[in-house]
Amino acid sequence: MTLTSGKLNVQGVTLTIGSSTTDGTISGGGSTSYIVAYDAGSTIGYVKHFVNANNVSHSYPIGDLTNYVPLTFTLTANSGLSGAYFTVYTKNVKIPSLNSSFSSYLQRFWEGVPNGMTSPTYTISYVYADSDISGSETNLKPIKKSGVNWYKPSGATFTTGQTQGTSTLDATTNTLTWSGLTTFSTYSG
């Protein structure tokens, strides 16, 4: 699939890229050309991308109606893939149940749901909009919630959550990257 102009709205459906034998690709994507895949309250649009090998970056050029907030998923290791895929969407609200003592966070989260991956290790990068920042951008670290468990990268100054992997913040491109992850969840910063 190549995105060249306009927004492809998938609200209420799942856009599937690839198959159980072929990853498929999405090229293009930018602030005026992306897939509208978000939680609008009454409907959710999803992008499902098949994952057939390690060390292949899978692009999710997604956003809501006004903000382009893409995500990239790279599986770096696993002990088995069986019809594996990763499905995502975004929502422009603070991650549910975030500790109220956090003074810097994103008013956005990305939901990532895997299927068919055994013992995965992966890297995820997500780009946020300037309007998503609450507090000081330089204090942002990726966070994620899986069920009732919170996770943070090594070097995070907040005390809540289990440590998993390492992270970087590129404030120039509004990108949080988190490597060495082994569980899936709701992602934010």
Side-chain angles (χ1 to χ4, degrees), residues 51-180:
V51 177
N52 292 291
N54 289 339
N55 300 312
V56 176
S57 292
H58 295 84
S59 171
Y60 294 80
I62 65 170
D64 54 33
L65 290 174
T66 55
N67 293 300
Y68 174 57
V69 290
L71 178 143
T72 302
F73 171 81
T74 306
L75 183 67
T76 55
N78 74 88
S79 62
L81 297 174
S82 177
Y85 56 83
F86 189 55
T87 304
V88 302
Y89 70 88
T90 187
K91 185 167 184 164
N92 63 338
V93 297
K94 180 172 70 170
I95 192 170
S97 306
L98 182 66
N99 189 319
S100 60
S101 68
F102 282 29
S103 59
S104 298
Y105 55 88
L106 294 176
Q107 289 281 354
R108 175 170 308 280
F109 67 83
W110 294 257
E111 185 74 30
V113 179
N115 185 69
M117 298 177 206
T118 304
S119 303
T121 302
Y122 67 97
T123 296
I124 194 162
S125 295
Y126 38 98
V127 177
Y128 52 89
D130 285 334
S131 59
D132 294 336
I133 303 166
S134 182
S136 172
E137 182 177 22
T138 58
N139 291 335
L140 290 176
K141 289 280 189 186
I143 56 172
K144 64 189 196 92
K145 185 179 181 188
S146 181
V148 297
N149 297 315
W150 286 93
Y151 295 87
K152 62 185 179 183
S154 62
T157 57
F158 44 93
T159 57
T160 304
Q162 301 172 40
T163 300
Q164 191 175 91
T166 59
S167 71
T168 59
L169 164 67
D170 185 335
T172 304
T173 61
N174 290 11
T175 304
L176 286 167
T177 301
W178 202 349
S179 300

Side-chain angles (χ1 to χ4, degrees), residues 2-4 26-35 59 61 68:
T2 301
L3 299 170
T4 57
I26 305 174
S27 60
S31 62
T32 60
S33 178
Y34 59 89
I35 302 165
S59 171
Y68 174 57

Side-chain angles (χ1 to χ4, degrees), residues 17-28:
I17 305 299
S19 70
S20 61
T21 58
T22 306
D23 283 349
T25 60
I26 305 174
S27 60

